[in-house]
């Protein structure tokens, strides 16, 4: 059956003889090297879901070592590691480096901007496709060389070594090829991979900005855009301005490694008995450049999820978003402040201590817009009529976990406290609450919410609820204790923390966390299974299964080539749930394309509603 | 609290005066955060419960927000956050800004040099009575993974690295400072009570990152002097004194 | 689980699961080290299968090694080796009443029993009718030496029977620590080929030659226990060997040292047994013998008679040599002790030292270079591999492990074997074992001290290699590194 994919079904629906003039687009052009934003979006989504499994497997290997240090690792141990399936220390450094790299660069950034950005932007603003469809296609196909580079970096360093400098790749560990196992070829391939991911993001973000500015449907003013679009727009701006810095830094690092420059390498350093280095560079320069990108990148990894959750919450509560403009302003504030807080990653790095105070103040300030958003989400649910399905649960999980992640951030924003918490598990807890607890729950909600639009079918809600419940329990069981580990002073990236007597008693807690992590990992098969099953066998549905307002819901499910059978015109904002206007036509929602309803009708229904 | 009764809390009370103040700040933030956490999670739970239990036919409220509420929840957190930021400044200044270091350390100068390398800590003391120079001197004394400092007075030392980046982390003292290639970073701490304290590395430095365990021994000044004398004796050992035990 | 008394060797088999550690550090709930097996050396693998695996009842190299050393999960304590396996020996004080089930024994120990009450521990009979059985002791009364057994004994022992309590516990403890701290570089078998080893320069030590570089003993002696423990304490500057203090306490250090010596002896034993066979029964030798007309069947027959008749003497010789040399390394006689105290470190002494350094007879500069940067002319030659008689593919001096091992750059102030004057003295006197640094034991000790004084001044010499000059009251303070 050809009903799997969006393009065909809608066309065969739309006009019976539509097949003929699409025959010229071959299979490959339609599904593989497609320029259709929906196909690209779905390609991104499926790829990132696969990468999520890879990153998850790496995480479980890390957790294995922390719970059962030096014991023979099941399954993976046979393939990669040294004697008897033991995780050797350099293999461990590779595991957490690649876990972070895969999760950040191949899962979270592409799933938000790549998958949902692509799929939703034209649909929600009423455009027939992206401004630059071919760039869009290239942006996806840049991911594959990037993934290939990352894959090569697993093996290029030797049997048990891969990139071992952490995802932050601090020099000199990353700058000197002898500094660690895997600092050689593996690190080079990793940097190439990073650069290619950067190209992909850059092509995407230029495309998104152009599309959002130029291709909105008639009537779709900036302040009628859904918050998803706002978040994508702001994210694209962040990418466009921050990413070149990282790319430049990456090139500098590659030059240091391969061309004998010394941007980051001071003189007289001896590693692994190699010749002393010559040069007058400074490793701190990398940290500044890296975090100048990577702090905004934290918001790149969060804002789109915030936007999508805002959309979904409003719909699932049948209530307009609370404080639309404050939401937009706070997102813009996050983006703006995001550029001047990078130093809070470097409080203990030895940079000028006066900067510590500056960055502490700006960091405290960036907590503010996040607080505003949280209050607004609660305000949105407040007084709403909640549809208590898995989608809503994931959104609520998002808000709840974001509160934890946001509040734990305050500890480390405070410099003196950060002296103690820097590079401990408290940090690990914090960013997992933000990146997994918030972003991924947001993504889970978004997958299920827009699934009908992608495939014309619904995902199974019961399975999805189980998935949510198990993930939520497993997630908190894994990551909440990390706060306690951090307070107990357990440093990050330790293959065997129990060598230190004051950490010995933490072993049972780590074992508990690992069991929780396995639970969480297993739960993801429910999502994958549900997704795969529903693509083919899910319950069929119409254009607007959630009674939502956005422009995308006025298009067929799945939308055909060119998206809209009727060119959309936008008459109102996206969140007019339960408005008098909606009630006047007997619904609790009103599509953005719905022409204005007569004032008299509204008045009539008003009096009826008053009793 | 469950956590602290199981030892899932700080590794003991802070053993340095500055560490105590860091802990106080931590508890201050913990207090604020706990209130906010409980408040927001409760509010979230409450609105979800109310929203999910609406009766049939009851529709959602139609509201686009409230300007005054927005103002309240902008200004109040802003006030709290700025307060937290300003309240922390002086502890930070004392820890890191050299002109705010205790006067004693300014007079004494650095007492020794700690050099991190993959994967151990090498300590260099100047000869008794001599100031520490940045370059090694012939009469310098060397030790590995063991630092002896006098109790009851602030001690400043130079931190550097031989190779990649490391971080000097003494959890009981609440001290952490990265050692960056090419930089010599002055760090200070004060330990009022004699004892042994942990020292470890907190910045990824390669496969042996977790192995960088050392101890800081705080003891009265005369004991430190004795230790340095022992160190010197051992370092100058020429193997001839028959009775001298080979370590 | 036996104390075997074999024709040639006595072995205590160590029951791992049952041995508990008295007074060892570390938390007890820390998981046991990973499971891994000993491997055999390449030279063993180069023998024909019959020599490796034995013929019928006759043991080959592998079995000879395994019988004496076991594998990491089931270690053997071969009592002929000069290794402190742990445990304490004693004698049965009273003959228990054999008419009832024997569940209690009274033992008098040679030393103090370092175990707490209610600790499960193994007791092994070395002599008497009960030998070689092993019993499990549930509880002790350390004052009286009364042991309660977990089960009644099958054969009643008699007073005066020799026993060992907690046999092998030091070795087992050492193994656990070794697996956790050392094995990822030095390998389970001590072959210097753990997973991390391939990335390190210089390579981690391969113990199996029985050679350790930095020792306090004379040129012909093995490393003493103190030497190994000193390396564990101080690390080896300039390499990835870190200091393991305070990670390991005194007991831990001693046990790791015993385990490392155990591995070294295992490797050396294997090497030596292989050497007995390699010239005639390696795959290569057998091939050339067959080329010259012998049939494989005859060769195997010959091997069989060798294993049956001559191997016995060879093993005895190998064993005596092994245990004798490892044992004597710990004696006072083996220690290098200067005849005179260090010559005062004056400009004059350094000047003499420099002249000796450059002299034709001693010629340190030939390797270490005139300016002491470790770049003498010898560092660029292509050496011949002493075993294969072929040139190495890389220029430079090689060590017995076939790795390039260039002379130290003396200007850096990094002294791998230690920076004390006595350490440098011993490096010169006894050489660095396994490397091209020869022993200069025939030099006058006074001269060695002059060289030591010169070498120690090199890092502080503004122009390394030039004659030392006085620039201030202390000549070296003005210099920079």
């Amino acid at each position: 059956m050809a009903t799997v994919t969006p393009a065909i079904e809608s066309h065969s629906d739309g006009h019976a003889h539509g097949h003929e003039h699409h025959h010229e687009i071959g299979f490959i052009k339609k599904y593989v090297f497609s320029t259709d934003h929906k196909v690209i979006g779905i390609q991104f989504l499926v790829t990132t879901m696969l990468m999520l499994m890879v990153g998850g497997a790496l995480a479980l290997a890390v957790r294995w070592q922390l719970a059962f240090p030096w014991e023979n690792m099941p399954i993976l141990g046979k393939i990669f590691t040294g004697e008897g399936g033991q995780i050797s220390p350099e293999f461990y450094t590779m595991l957490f480096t690649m876990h972070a790299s895969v999760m950040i660069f191949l899962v979270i950034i592409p799933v938000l901007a790549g998958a949902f950005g692509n799929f939703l932007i034209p649909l929600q603003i009423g455009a027939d496709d992206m401004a630059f469809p071919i760039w869009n296609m290239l942006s996806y196909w840049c991911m594959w060389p990037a993934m290939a580079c990352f894959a090569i970096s697993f093996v290029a360093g030797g049997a048990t070594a891969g990139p071992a400098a952490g995802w932050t790749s601090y020099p000199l560990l990353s700058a000197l090829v002898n500094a660690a196992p895997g600092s050689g070829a593996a690190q080079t391939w990793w940097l190439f991979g990073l650069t290619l991911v950067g190209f992909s993001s850059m092509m995407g973000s230029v495309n998104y900005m152009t599309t959002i500015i130029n291709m909105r449907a008639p009537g779709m003013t900036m302040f009628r855009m859904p918050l998803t679009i706002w978040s994508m727009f702001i994210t694209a701006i962040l990418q466009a301005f921050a990413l070149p810095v990282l790319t430049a830094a990456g090139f500098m690092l590659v030059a240091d490694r391969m061309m004998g420059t010394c941007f980051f390498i001071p003189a007289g350093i001896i590693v692994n008995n190699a010749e002393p280095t010559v040069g007058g560079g400074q490793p701190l320069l990398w940290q500044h450049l890296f975090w100048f990108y990577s702090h905004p990148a934290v918001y790149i990894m969060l804002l789109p999820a915030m936007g999508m959750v805002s959309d979904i919450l409003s719909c699932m509560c049948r209530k307009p978003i609370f404080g639309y403009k404050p939401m937009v302003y706070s997102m813009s504030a996050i983006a703006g402040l995001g550029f001047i807080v990078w130093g809070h990653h470097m409080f203990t790095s030895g940079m000028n201590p006066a900067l510590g105070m500056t960055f502490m103040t700006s960091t405290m300030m960036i907590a503010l817009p996040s607080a505003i958003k949280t209050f607004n989400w609660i305000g949105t649910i407040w007084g709403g009529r909640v549809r208590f399905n898995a989608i809503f649960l994931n959104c609520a999980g998002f808000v709840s976990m974001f509160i934890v992640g946001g509040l734990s951030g305050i500890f480390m924003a405070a410099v003196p406290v950060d002296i103690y918490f820097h590079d401990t598990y408290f940090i690990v807890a914090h960013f997992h609450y933000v990146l997994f607890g918030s972003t991924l729950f947001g993504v889970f909600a978004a997958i299920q919410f827009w699934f009908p639009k992608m495939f014309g079918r619904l995902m199974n809600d019961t399975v999805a609820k189980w998935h949510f419940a198990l993930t939520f329990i497993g997630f908190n069981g894994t990551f909440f204790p990390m706060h306690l580990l951090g307070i107990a002073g357990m440093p990050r990236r330790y293959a065997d923390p129990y060598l230190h007597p004051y950490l010995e008693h933490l072993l049972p807690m780590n074992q508990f966390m690992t069991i929780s992590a396995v639970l969480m990992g297993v739960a993801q098969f429910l999502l994958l299974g549900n997704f795969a099953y529903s693509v083919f066998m899910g319950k069929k549905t119409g254009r607007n299964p959630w009674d939502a307002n956005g422009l995308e819901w006025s298009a067929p499910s799945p939308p055909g080539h060119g998206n809209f059978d009727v060119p959309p015109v936008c008459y109102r904002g996206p969140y007019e749930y339960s408005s008098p206007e909606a009630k006047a036509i007997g619904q609790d929602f009103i599509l953005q394309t719905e022409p204005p309803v007569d004032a008299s009708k509204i008045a009539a229904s008003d009096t009826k509603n008053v009793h | 609290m469950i956590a602290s009764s199981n030892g899932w809390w700080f590794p003991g009370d802070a053993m340095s005066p500055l560490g105590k103040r860091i802990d106080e700040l931590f508890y201050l933030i913990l207090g604020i955060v706990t209130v906010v956490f409980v408040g927001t999670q409760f509010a979230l739970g409450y609105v979800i419960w109310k929203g999910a239990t609406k009766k049939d036919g009851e529709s959602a409220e139609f509201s686009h927000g409230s300007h005054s509420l927005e103002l309240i929840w902008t200004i109040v957190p802003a006030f709290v956050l700025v307060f937290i930021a300003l309240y922390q400044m002086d502890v930070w200044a004392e820890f890191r800004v050299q002109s705010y270091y205790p006067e004693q350390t300014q007079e004494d100068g650095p007492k020794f040099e700690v050099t991190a390398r993959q994967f151990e800590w090498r300590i260099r003391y100047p000869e008794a009575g001599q100031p520490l120079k940045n370059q090694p001197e012939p009469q310098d004394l060397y030790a590995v993974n063991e630092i002896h400092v006098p109790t009851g007075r602030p001690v400043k030392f130079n931190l550097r690295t031989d190779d990649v980046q490391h971080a000097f982390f003494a959890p009981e003292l609440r001290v952490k400072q990265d050692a960056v290639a090419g930089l010599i970073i002055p760090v200070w701490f004060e330990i009022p009570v004699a004892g042994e304290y942990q020292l470890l590395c907190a910045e990824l430095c390669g496969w042996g990152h977790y192995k960088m365990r050392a101890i800081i021994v705080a003891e009265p000044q005369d004991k430190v002097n004795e230790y340095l004398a022992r160190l010197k004796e051992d370092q100058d050992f020429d193997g001839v004194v028959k009775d001298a035990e080979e370590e | 689980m036996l104390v075997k008394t074999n024709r040639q060797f006595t072995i205590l088999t160590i029951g791992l699961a049952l041995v508990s550690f008295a007074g060892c550090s570390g938390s007890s709930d820390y998981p046991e080290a990973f499971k891994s097996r000993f491997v055999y050396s390449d030279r063993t693998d180069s023998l024909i299968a019959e020599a490796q695996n034995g013929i019928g009842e006759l043991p080959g190299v592998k079995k000879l090694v395994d019988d004496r050393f076991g594998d990491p999960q089931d270690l053997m304590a071969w009592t002929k080796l000069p290794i402190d396996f742990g445990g304490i020996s004693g004698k049965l004080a009273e003959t228990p009443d054999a008419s009832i089930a024997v569940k209690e024994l009274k033992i008098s120990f040679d030393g103090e029993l370092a175990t707490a009450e209610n600790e499960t521990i193994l007791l092994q009979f070395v002599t008497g009718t009960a030998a070689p059985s092993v019993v499990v002791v549930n509880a002790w009364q350390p004052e009286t030496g009364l042991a309660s057994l977990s089960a009644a004994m099958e054969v009643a022992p008699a007073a005066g029977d020799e026993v060992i309590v907690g046999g092998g516990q030091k070795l087992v403890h050492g193994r656990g620590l070794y697996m956790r701290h050392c094995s990822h570089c030095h390998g389970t078998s001590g072959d210097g080929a753990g997973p991390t080893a391939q990335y390190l320069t210089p390579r981690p030590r391969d113990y199996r030659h029985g050679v350790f570089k930095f020792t306090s003993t004379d040129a012909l002696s093995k490393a003493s226990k103190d030497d190994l423990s000193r390396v564990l304490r101080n690390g080896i500057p300039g390499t990835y060997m870190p200091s393991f203090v305070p990670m390991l306490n005194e007991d831990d250090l001693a046990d790791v040292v015993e385990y490392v010596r155990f591995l070294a002896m295992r490797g050396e034993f294997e090497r030596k047994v292989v050497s007995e066979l390699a010239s005639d029964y390696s795959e290569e030798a057998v091939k050339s013998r067959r080329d010259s007309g012998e049939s494989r069947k005859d060769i195997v027959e010959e091997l069989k008679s060798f294993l049956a008749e001559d191997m016995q003497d060879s093993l005895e010789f190998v064993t005596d040599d092994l245990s004798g040399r490892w044992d004597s390394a710990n004696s006072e006689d083996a220690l290098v002790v200067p005849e005179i105290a260090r010559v005062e470190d004056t400009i004059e002494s350094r000047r003499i030292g420099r002249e000796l350094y450059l002299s034709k007879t001693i010629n340190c500069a030939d390797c270490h270079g005139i300016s002491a940067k470790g770049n003498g002319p010898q560092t660029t030659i292509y050496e011949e591999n002493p075993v294969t008689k072929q040139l190495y593919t890389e220029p430079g001096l090689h060590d017995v492990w076939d790795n390039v091992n260039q002379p130290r750059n003396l200007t850096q102030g990094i002294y791998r074997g230690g920076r004390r004057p006595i350490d440098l003295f011993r490096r010169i006197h006894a050489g660095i074992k396994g490397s091209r640094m020869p022993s200069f034991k025939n030099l006058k000790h006074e001269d060695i001290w002059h060289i030591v004084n010169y070498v120690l001044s090199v890092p502080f010499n503004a122009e390394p290699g030039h004659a030392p000059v006085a620039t201030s009251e202390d000549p070296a303070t003005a210099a920079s590194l």
Side-chain angles (χ1 to χ4, degrees), chain A residues 9-320:
Chain A
E9 193 186 65
S10 60
H11 278 277
S12 43
D13 278 359
H15 25 108
H17 303 287
H19 279 295
E20 275 123 320
H21 62 259
H22 283 290
H23 273 202
E24 57 225 70
I25 306 180
F27 177 82
I28 286 184
K29 240 186 151 183
K30 208 184 280 176
Y31 303 119
V32 182
F33 295 106
S34 169
T35 55
D36 185 324
H37 73 101
K38 298 180 292 296
V39 177
I40 296 170
I42 291 166
Q43 284 172 329
F44 263 116
L45 183 62
V46 171
T47 315
T48 51
M49 280 167 81
L50 291 176
M51 285 296 123
L52 181 69
M53 301 314 273
V54 173
L58 292 167
L60 287 180
V62 168
R63 291 276 2 138
W64 171 265
Q65 168 72 4
L66 287 172
F68 310 104
W70 311 128
E71 288 201 57
N72 306 25
M73 181 169 59
I75 311 165
L76 266 182
K78 297 276 182 316
I79 309 169
F80 288 116
T81 57
E83 302 173 280
Q86 176 209 27
I87 295 184
S88 56
E90 73 282 358
F91 190 72
Y92 181 79
T93 55
M94 184 208 74
L95 284 176
F96 65 69
T97 300
M98 291 312 289
H99 162 64
S101 310
V102 168
M103 285 301 197
I104 290 170
F105 298 116
L106 301 182
V107 177
I108 294 187
I109 291 179
V111 81
L112 292 174
F116 289 103
N118 259 314
F119 188 80
L120 293 179
I121 288 174
L123 280 171
Q124 288 200 331
I125 64 172
D128 53 359
D129 205 329
M130 283 286 183
F132 309 115
I134 293 190
W135 277 31
N136 209 12
M137 179 187 80
L138 287 176
S139 133
Y140 174 71
W141 287 104
C142 259
M143 292 296 293
W144 282 96
M147 282 188 268
C149 286
F150 279 139
I152 293 169
S153 77
F154 269 101
V155 290
T160 55
W167 82 278
T168 52
S169 279
Y170 279 4
L172 299 169
L173 215 46
S174 60
L176 301 175
V177 291
N178 286 311
S183 288
Q187 186 72 34
T188 309
W189 282 105
W190 186 89
L191 282 164
F192 287 156
L194 183 70
T195 311
L196 284 166
V197 172
F199 283 148
S200 164
S201 297
M202 191 50 112
M203 283 188 277
S205 62
V206 170
N207 216 343
Y208 301 160
M209 280 193 285
T210 318
T211 309
I212 292 172
I213 291 174
N214 288 333
M215 296 178 66
R216 280 168 287 132
M220 178 61 84
T221 61
M222 290 300 265
F223 281 109
R224 280 183 184 167
M225 296 197 309
L227 288 172
T228 305
I229 301 301
W230 267 111
S231 66
M232 295 291 176
F233 185 53
I234 291 166
T235 304
I237 295 171
L238 279 175
Q239 289 267 31
F241 284 94
L243 195 60
V245 177
L246 180 72
T247 311
F251 274 121
M252 285 155 81
L253 194 53
V254 170
D256 270 11
R257 298 168 54 80
M258 307 180 82
M259 299 169 208
T261 58
C262 295
F263 293 109
F264 307 119
I265 304 172
I269 302 294
I270 301 175
V271 288
N272 203 10
N273 227 27
E275 286 293 302
T277 56
V278 286
Q282 196 12 277
L284 278 185
L285 175 62
W286 166 268
Q287 297 188 26
H288 282 291
L289 295 174
F290 180 82
W291 289 115
F292 185 82
Y293 163 75
S294 291
H295 196 80
V298 170
Y299 297 108
I300 292 167
M301 290 181 251
L302 183 61
L303 284 179
M306 286 177 159
M308 295 191 297
V309 165
S310 306
D311 268 17
I312 300 169
L313 262 188
S314 176
C315 170
M316 289 303 159
C317 296
R318 319 307 300 158
K319 188 166 172 288

Side-chain angles (χ1 to χ4, degrees), chain C residues 21-50:
Chain C
F21 317 126
C24 69
S25 74
S27 87
S28 51
D29 53 356
Y30 187 86
E32 259 295 307
F34 68 100
K35 313 268 184 293
S36 179
R37 307 197 72 85
F38 286 141
V39 294
Y40 305 99
S41 71
D42 291 346
R43 297 180 69 223
T44 302
D45 293 337
S46 75
L47 298 176
I48 56 171
E50 289 86 349

Side-chain angles (χ1 to χ4, degrees), chain A residues 70 89-90 96 164-166 170-173 179 181 266 269-271 282-283 287 317-320 322-323 326 347-351 353 357 360-361 364-365 367-368 372 375-376 381-386 388 392 396 400 403-404 407 410-411 414-416 419-423 484 487-489 491-496 499-502 505 509 576-580 583, chain B residues 3 6-11 22 25-26 29-30 33 36-37 40-41 43-44 47-48 50-52 54-66 69-70 73-74 77-78 81-82 84-85 88-89 91-93 95-97 118 161-165 169 171 174-178 180-183 185 198-207 209-213:
Chain A
W70 311 128
E90 73 282 358
F96 65 69
Y170 279 4
L172 299 169
L173 215 46
I269 302 294
I270 301 175
V271 288
Q282 196 12 277
Q287 297 188 26
C317 296
R318 319 307 300 158
K319 188 166 172 288
F322 198 95
F347 283 151
T348 70
S349 71
M351 66 177 179
M357 303 189 181
M360 167 163 64
T361 316
M364 287 291 177
M365 286 300 92
L368 197 53
I372 296 171
F375 291 131
N376 278 328
I381 307 173
W382 179 30
R385 185 184 169 74
V386 171
F388 206 72
F392 174 81
S400 175
I403 293 171
V404 180
L407 290 177
I410 294 177
F411 289 96
V415 215
I419 295 169
Y420 182 67
F421 281 137
H422 182 79
D423 265 328
L484 298 173
I487 294 170
R492 294 167 71 176
R493 296 165 170 175
Y494 266 32
D496 187 355
L499 276 187
H500 301 269
Y502 79 103
H505 66 286
M509 195 198 283
E576 300 300 310
Y577 295 102
S578 307
S579 69
K583 284 174 186 161
Chain B
N6 281 297
W8 302 333
W9 206 241
F10 287 111
I22 289 178
L25 293 174
F26 169 80
I29 299 177
L30 185 66
V33 157
V36 179
F37 174 77
T40 45
Q41 297 289 11
L44 180 66
V47 295
I48 292 175
K50 289 295 275 184
K54 280 221 158 157
K55 291 193 194 72
D56 283 345
E58 227 180 313
S59 79
E61 276 172 39
F62 179 64
S63 149
H64 282 103
S66 152
L69 269 180
E70 298 283 352
W73 64 46
T74 308
L81 288 167
V82 169
I84 294 177
Q88 315 261 341
M89 292 284 186
V91 176
W92 170 247
F95 176 65
R96 276 293 289 139
V97 181
Q118 289 169 330
T161 166
D162 257 0
D163 37 53
V164 302
Q165 199 163 334
F169 177 33
R174 315 284 192 261
V175 168
K176 188 179 288 134
Q177 175 58 53
D178 287 9
V180 183
L183 296 183
I185 301 174
Q198 304 288 328
L199 164 61
L200 48 155
C201 179
E203 187 68 62
L204 178 64
C205 58
W207 52 266
H209 179 40
Y210 64 100
K211 288 194 187 199
M212 292 185 66
R213 175 173 154 201

Side-chain angles (χ1 to χ4, degrees), chain A residues 475-528:
Chain A
F475 170 80
N476 281 297
T478 308
F479 296 108
F480 195 81
M482 283 188 184
H483 291 112
L484 298 173
L485 294 185
I487 294 170
M490 178 169 149
R492 294 167 71 176
R493 296 165 170 175
Y494 266 32
D496 187 355
Y498 318 108
L499 276 187
H500 301 269
Y502 79 103
L503 298 172
E504 269 177 0
H505 66 286
L506 298 174
L507 181 65
M509 195 198 283
N510 271 305
Q511 287 170 340
F512 169 77
M513 291 156 68
T514 298
I515 293 164
S516 305
V518 170
L519 173 75
M520 184 164 69
V522 170
Q524 301 321 305
F525 285 100
L526 288 181
L527 176 78
L528 282 194

Side-chain angles (χ1 to χ4, degrees), chain C residues 118-307:
Chain C
N118 304 325
E119 203 165 353
T120 312
I121 206 158
L122 292 187
L123 184 148
Q124 303 170 301
F125 284 87
V126 184
T127 61
T129 47
S133 64
V134 177
V135 292
V136 179
V137 179
N138 274 343
W140 281 100
Q141 285 176 356
E143 318 83 51
T144 58
L146 204 63
S148 321
L149 310 183
S150 66
M153 289 189 66
E154 286 167 17
V155 185
D161 284 357
E162 286 175 29
V163 296
I164 289 181
V165 172
Q169 69 183 38
K170 272 176 87 75
L171 197 65
V172 171
H173 185 217
R175 177 196 70 104
L177 294 166
Y178 179 88
M179 289 310 231
R180 186 176 182 189
H181 294 275
C182 322
S183 69
H184 68 87
C185 289
H186 290 287
T188 302
S189 324
D191 52 7
T196 314
Q198 54 186 310
Y199 313 104
L200 308 184
T201 323
R203 281 300 179 96
R205 182 68 50 251
D206 174 358
Y207 309 142
R208 297 176 306 173
H209 288 67
V211 178
F212 292 89
K213 277 182 159 177
F214 307 109
T215 69
S216 60
T217 56
D218 60 54
L220 298 173
S221 292
K222 299 276 183 193
S224 70
K225 294 185 186 185
D226 286 343
D227 293 334
L228 298 179
S229 118
R230 191 177 159 77
V231 167
L232 283 175
R233 274 170 221 280
N234 294 357
I236 302 181
T239 74
Y240 272 117
M241 176 75 189
S243 160
F244 282 93
V245 173
M247 268 182 283
L248 304 178
N249 63 26
E250 289 300 314
D251 288 343
D252 294 342
L253 286 175
D255 294 354
V256 171
V257 164
E258 289 305 332
Y259 191 70
V260 167
R261 293 172 77 243
F262 170 83
L263 291 177
M265 289 181 212
R266 178 188 175 274
E268 205 177 343
F269 178 79
E270 184 187 357
R271 270 183 85 79
K272 290 191 162 161
V273 173
V274 172
S275 298
E276 299 288 323
L277 298 166
S279 56
D280 291 330
Y281 307 108
S282 70
E283 285 287 1
E284 206 176 335
V286 168
K287 186 166 179 289
S288 68
R289 286 173 73 178
R290 289 176 70 185
D291 290 345
S292 57
E294 291 181 73
S295 80
R296 194 168 202 283
K297 195 156 171 277
D298 290 345
I299 298 173
V300 171
E301 273 307 306
E302 185 193 309
L303 172 67
K304 193 172 174 184
S305 69
F306 180 87
L307 290 178

